[in-house]
Amino acid sequence: MIEGPPGPALASPAAPGRSRVTLQIIADRLAVSTATVSLALRDSPLVAEATRIRVREIAREMGYRYNRGAAALRTDRTNIVAVGFHDITNPYFAELLAAIEETTTAQGRSVLLGTYAEDLERQRRVLDTLAEYRPDGMILCPAAGSTSESLRPLIDAGIPIVQLSRELDGVELDFVGSDDRAGTFQAMEHLIGLGHRRIAFICANEEISTGRNRYASYREMLVRHGLPFDPALVHMGIGTRENGLKGIQYVLDAADPPTAAFCMNDIAAFGAMLGLRHRGREAGRDFSIVGCDDVREAAQWFPALTTVHNFQNEMGAKSAEFLLNRIAEPAAPLQRLTLTPKLIVRGTTCPPPPR
């Protein structure tokens, strides 16, 4: 999937029987130089606005198509930013992508997207394919189980990389993410403050940095408040709606079931809310659910989901800014930004029911 900025379109073959329109033809039509036409099509401030508008109008009328490949050979820049995500069906990553696209488009870049689920072999193939397009840089959220070696071919090729949301040990790369420990602390403080003493963790996943941080912080908060850790209240798995539904039913079947659950992400929380309904129970009335991410859908559920807001718009935009900075200055010091999340209390949390 390629999304690009407004302006000259991507290269395409000329229509049968129709001569290819060149910069020289447009220049002759307007009685200006080819350099002026080229600068105008790139929206250069060196060309008067009226001339830029006129050049673009004539280019559209004549069916001119910008040859991006030829431009890349001339400048050693493709103006493409590659984005590799493990999951675009999760609205959280769609929101990150939208922020990346908005920021890069404003700087005249196009976005090339590749997705690979949580599949390491598929990730290798996708990243290899993205690299074949010679992007100026990449923004990546690695698949579960990735190691520094997963990115080694890209690093050795000198491709600028920013890690987003998830990060790998053993690599020195720019990173933008959320303080997962702080977010989990806020969620657990809220549930414990309501009186919950049996709190489950739904979709724990120690194969990713976000999962390790959240699960470790969950356990740390239990210790801090003198609450026992019970493995029967932990459901391991990737954070999906299906696993959220299975997870809540799994922990409800424990000998001493929980009265609340912290979920790895919002979509797992949505599944958990549905799982409660399968048991004739309702979040915010009979049981407390807290998610993590605060996707737009979270406020639209009934009841609306209590969740940890990770400021994904800022995360996506900053990852794009970091990458553009890295492309401009490859030898600059490493950039790292960890945003402090905020708990958003809505309708899915309540005190535990009397026993």
Side-chain angles (χ1 to χ4, degrees):
M1 174 182 179
I2 297 179
E3 298 180 9
L10 292 172
S12 63
R18 182 176 180 180
S19 299
R20 179 172 174 268
V21 179
T22 66
L23 293 180
Q24 186 63 61
I25 292 173
I26 297 172
D28 291 344
R29 173 80 175 269
L30 293 168
V32 298
S33 69
T34 55
T36 296
V37 173
S38 178
L39 289 169
L41 290 173
R42 286 183 280 132
D43 207 26
S44 170
L46 297 175
V47 180
E49 182 178 2
T51 302
R52 295 201 304 268
I53 293 172
R54 184 59 179 154
V55 168
R56 287 181 177 275
E57 288 176 348
I58 294 299
R60 281 194 295 269
E61 289 174 9
M62 300 181 74
Y64 174 76
R65 293 293 181 266
Y66 180 61
N67 191 329
R68 193 176 295 276
L73 290 174
R74 290 194 304 270
T75 64
D76 198 31
R77 286 280 185 264
T78 60
N79 285 329
I80 291 174
V81 168
V83 176
F85 279 170
H86 66 287
D87 185 7
I88 202 63
T89 63
N90 183 338
Y92 179 68
F93 292 96
E95 291 173 19
L96 286 172
L97 179 62
I100 292 170
E101 193 275 339
E102 182 176 356
T103 303
T104 54
T105 293
Q107 297 299 317
R109 310 278 177 152
S110 299
V111 172
L112 183 66
L113 172 66
T115 61
Y116 30 77
E118 301 285 11
D119 185 322
L120 293 178
E121 176 55 26
R122 182 174 169 185
Q123 175 179 259
R124 183 192 65 77
R125 295 196 306 270
V126 168
L127 294 183
D128 284 349
T129 300
L130 290 175
E132 290 173 1
Y133 284 87
R134 299 178 59 242
D136 295 336
M138 292 187 175
I139 298 172
L140 302 177
C141 186
S146 296
T147 66
S148 60
E149 291 306 305
S150 304
L151 303 186
R152 185 57 54 192
L154 303 177
I155 295 171
D156 290 346
I159 299 174
I161 297 172
V162 173
Q163 295 185 99
L164 176 59
S165 185
R166 299 178 180 181
E167 60 181 327
L168 303 180
D169 294 331
V171 294
E172 293 187 352
L173 296 172
D174 299 324
F175 172 74
V176 177
S178 177
D179 187 339
D180 297 305
R181 293 176 60 82
T184 305
F185 289 161
Q186 291 179 52
M188 292 293 287
E189 287 284 6
H190 174 61
L191 292 172
I192 293 169
L194 287 171
H196 295 282
R197 296 298 178 265
R198 300 284 292 169
I199 302 172
F201 193 112
I202 306 297
C203 294
N205 185 352
E206 294 189 281
E207 289 194 316
I208 55 177
S209 61
T210 50
R212 288 191 297 273
N213 292 336
R214 292 171 192 174
Y215 184 46
S217 301
Y218 159 80
R219 297 191 63 168
E220 182 178 333
M221 287 298 289
L222 294 177
V223 172
R224 186 180 299 182
H225 288 271
L227 302 176
F229 169 72
D230 185 349
L233 302 190
V234 177
H235 179 264
M236 308 296 290
I238 296 170
T240 65
R241 294 174 197 261
E242 294 80 7
N243 284 337
L245 189 150
K246 293 175 184 176
I248 195 67
Q249 300 197 59
Y250 170 84
V251 299
L252 288 176
D253 288 336
D256 187 4
T259 59
F262 175 62
C263 300
M264 175 63 195
N265 56 26
D266 284 351
I267 60 173
F270 299 151
M273 291 169 69
L274 293 175
L276 285 174
R277 289 172 184 166
H278 286 198
R279 298 291 184 95
R281 304 171 75 176
E282 189 71 28
R285 185 189 67 194
D286 313 300
F287 195 94
S288 287
I289 294 283
V290 179
C292 190
D293 290 339
D294 193 27
V295 299
R296 291 186 181 94
E297 185 182 346
Q300 298 166 7
W301 272 68
F302 184 79
L305 178 65
T306 295
T307 184
V308 177
H309 180 67
N310 280 333
F311 297 97
Q312 48 266 38
N313 288 340
E314 290 87 340
M315 284 174 59
K318 291 302 293 187
S319 70
E321 290 177 18
F322 275 17
L323 184 60
L324 295 175
N325 291 341
R326 178 61 56 196
I327 292 168
E329 298 185 53
L334 284 177
Q335 307 163 103
R336 182 178 181 84
L337 176 64
T338 305
L339 297 173
T340 301
K342 177 182 179 182
L343 182 69
I344 306 297
V345 178
R346 297 193 180 104
T348 56
T349 51
C350 60
R355 297 203 173 199

